[in-house]
Structures are given as C-alpha cells and as structure tokens.
Amino acid sequence: MNRTDRRAIRKNAMMDTINRINDAMSKVNFSDPNGKATFHKLLDKKNYIAQQIAEASYTEYSMKN
C-alpha cells in the first residue's frame, strides 16, 4: 500500500466520521442543560475534520500532478 492509497483511505475515514458527527448533532437535546455546549463541541470537531479533509484533498490532487 503506497502513500496515495493511505491518504485516500484516511480521507474516506474522515468523511465517515463527519457523517457520525452529523448524526450525533441531530440527536442533541437542547432542553438538556449541556445540550448547547455539546452541539458546539461537535460543531468544532466537524469543522476541524472538514479542514483536514480539505488539506488531504489538496495534497492528493497535487500529488497526482
């Protein structure tokens, strides 16, 4: 397995993680005292992973050229 394959696998794993975070965000109960904080914590994680996916996509694209 070469580096390009590992990066593609990692990118797919991060996309799956974003899907799991989206599911968790939809299940947050805002009437819970910590509901809003939990939602924002999940949103921060989602933004960080989205940034990592963008960097991986850029690197993958630049390696192909």
Side-chain angles (χ1 to χ4, degrees):
M1 181 181 308
N2 61 21
R3 183 169 54 179
T4 306
D5 293 337
R6 286 192 308 267
R7 286 179 192 249
I9 291 169
R10 182 173 175 254
K11 189 171 88 172
N12 287 335
M14 287 188 289
M15 291 167 134
D16 292 340
T17 302
I18 285 203
N19 288 334
R20 287 194 304 271
I21 289 174
N22 284 337
D23 290 341
M25 287 172 71
S26 68
K27 294 176 184 176
V28 170
N29 184 3
F30 285 101
S31 61
D32 181 33
N34 294 328
K36 190 174 181 181
T38 302
F39 182 82
H40 286 289
K41 190 182 298 183
L42 289 169
L43 187 62
D44 289 341
K45 286 182 182 180
K46 180 180 171 183
N47 289 337
Y48 174 76
I49 292 173
Q51 179 184 8
Q52 295 297 312
I53 290 172
E55 290 174 7
S57 297
Y58 175 77
T59 303
E60 185 179 14
Y61 176 75
S62 65
M63 287 177 67
K64 289 181 181 177
N65 288 333

